[in-house]
Amino acid sequence: MKHILLSLGSAALAAALLCSCGPFQVAEKVVDQADLVQIAEGLATHAENSANVSEARRAGLVQKTYTAESEVDKIKIDEKDASLRIETGNVDRVQVSYMEPKYSQNYRISEGDSTLRIQSNRTEIDADLTYTTVITLPEKEYASIEIEADDSTVAVLDVAADSVRMWRSSNAMVQFSGLTSDQIKATVNNGMVTVSDTTAARLDVSLDNGIIALEDTQVDQYECQVENGSIEGTLIGQAGEYNIRTSVDVGRNLLPSSARKWGDKKLQFHVGNGEINVKFAG
């Protein structure tokens, strides 16, 4: 499946579209599906335009690469105002490729106890500059990947990890694709979380305003909720395999509100104002 990477501009656009100053209307009018589609299309278009930022706007910045000195099993990232991509690649050690001013340090990168810590310290980079920080991992199963990233876009691609966690972040566009994990968890104030081609024991996603998009996911336990927006997409398997509990306070629900199956698989979806539009691939 083609990976669509959203840029920093997407997070800004998401904030403008989904911020508390203009939320989805509650009770008076159900959010329209066409509006949600328009939001998603606008985010993707804006991301594509931002990706073409000219070299001139990067004046004063240099490309830098950090290579881990020892084997890494855990990764902790604290980012802001950035575009971040984490992926496996043909490397022997974890590599971090980023940009910063030539004579200053805007990242603090450290290692210890098999953990790589990456902390942004952006004080001198122009907030309008758009570039992607890329973390390339040797192919193996990791213990954990933890991310906190306000006003950012985050893509985690083709990674195996016991735990992948996006801590509470504001105005974030998050993409998990091609993951294999025991637990994936994301908590986002405003934005969009897309999960595709992923196998997990548990998927736990919570959004205040925005969209949870699931595509070809195979998960034993789903727990997803959106206050204003939608949960949508296609799940691998059949509805009869799951103990289902779903609810929409104001809006439309295309799944059964309750269906019981004697087994361990569970699906719990809740939307406050909006829509649940999810189907099973069979």
Side-chain angles (χ1 to χ4, degrees):
M1 181 174 182
K2 182 180 179 181
H3 297 312
I4 301 174
L5 302 183
L6 302 180
S7 73
L8 172 61
S10 301
L13 182 57
L17 290 170
L18 303 174
C19 70
S20 59
C21 59
F24 296 102
Q25 295 185 27
V26 179
E28 293 182 4
K29 181 183 178 181
V30 176
V31 65
D32 189 87
Q33 178 66 14
D35 293 336
L36 295 174
V37 173
Q38 186 177 9
I39 289 172
E41 290 177 347
L43 291 168
T45 300
H46 195 77
E48 183 176 354
N49 292 338
S50 295
N52 295 324
V53 63
S54 65
E55 290 295 327
R57 297 181 63 199
R58 297 180 179 178
L61 298 179
V62 295
Q63 183 81 39
K64 296 185 178 180
T65 300
Y66 176 93
T67 301
E69 296 178 356
S70 57
E71 186 172 351
V72 170
D73 199 39
K74 301 177 183 178
I75 300 169
K76 295 186 176 182
I77 303 166
D78 186 355
E79 259 288 17
K80 58 183 178 181
D81 300 314
S83 175
L84 174 67
R85 187 167 79 243
I86 304 169
E87 61 188 5
T88 55
N90 187 22
V91 293
D92 295 326
R93 302 287 188 189
V94 175
Q95 290 186 355
V96 184
S97 178
Y98 58 99
M99 298 189 74
E100 65 182 4
K102 187 174 183 180
Y103 299 108
S104 66
Q105 184 179 12
N106 285 323
Y107 277 98
R108 292 196 294 270
I109 304 176
S110 61
E111 297 178 54
D113 299 325
S114 300
T115 302
L116 179 69
R117 294 174 175 85
I118 303 169
Q119 184 171 9
S120 174
N121 184 33
R122 297 173 191 271
T123 57
E124 300 181 23
I125 295 180
D126 187 338
D128 291 333
L129 290 173
T130 302
Y131 57 90
T132 299
T133 296
V134 179
I135 301 172
T136 305
L137 311 178
E139 189 171 349
K140 70 166 196 170
E141 184 172 354
Y142 292 82
S144 64
I145 297 173
E146 299 182 9
I147 306 163
E148 185 172 351
D150 289 340
D151 303 309
S152 299
T153 65
V154 176
V156 184
L157 310 174
D158 303 320
V159 172
D162 290 342
S163 173
V164 177
R165 176 167 291 192
M166 180 86 178
W167 293 102
R168 176 167 286 278
S169 300
S170 298
N171 305 324
M173 307 300 297
V174 183
Q175 180 186 20
F176 298 135
S177 184
L179 304 190
T180 302
S181 180
D182 286 340
Q183 176 174 295
I184 300 171
K185 184 169 185 177
T187 305
V188 177
N189 286 343
N190 302 303
M192 183 173 184
V193 176
T194 301
V195 185
S196 61
D197 299 323
T198 287
T199 301
R202 180 180 177 86
L203 176 66
D204 186 342
V205 182
S206 177
L207 267 72
D208 289 343
N209 300 300
I211 302 170
I212 298 175
L214 309 173
E215 198 62 41
D216 294 332
T217 56
Q218 188 167 0
V219 176
D220 292 336
Q221 296 188 35
Y222 290 92
E223 187 167 340
C224 301
Q225 62 179 5
V226 179
E227 287 304 313
N228 296 294
S230 72
I231 302 173
E232 55 190 52
T234 303
L235 314 182
I236 293 176
Q238 299 179 359
E241 300 173 11
Y242 288 86
N243 293 304
I244 296 175
R245 288 175 55 193
T246 68
S247 60
V248 176
D249 294 338
V250 180
R252 183 173 64 160
N253 185 359
L254 299 184
L255 284 178
S257 59
S258 179
R260 187 164 184 79
K261 166 88 169 83
W262 295 110
D264 295 331
K265 290 189 176 183
K266 298 179 181 179
L267 184 151
Q268 296 185 31
F269 289 164
H270 172 74
V271 173
N273 175 39
E275 180 179 74
I276 295 176
N277 184 4
V278 172
K279 63 182 180 180
F280 289 86

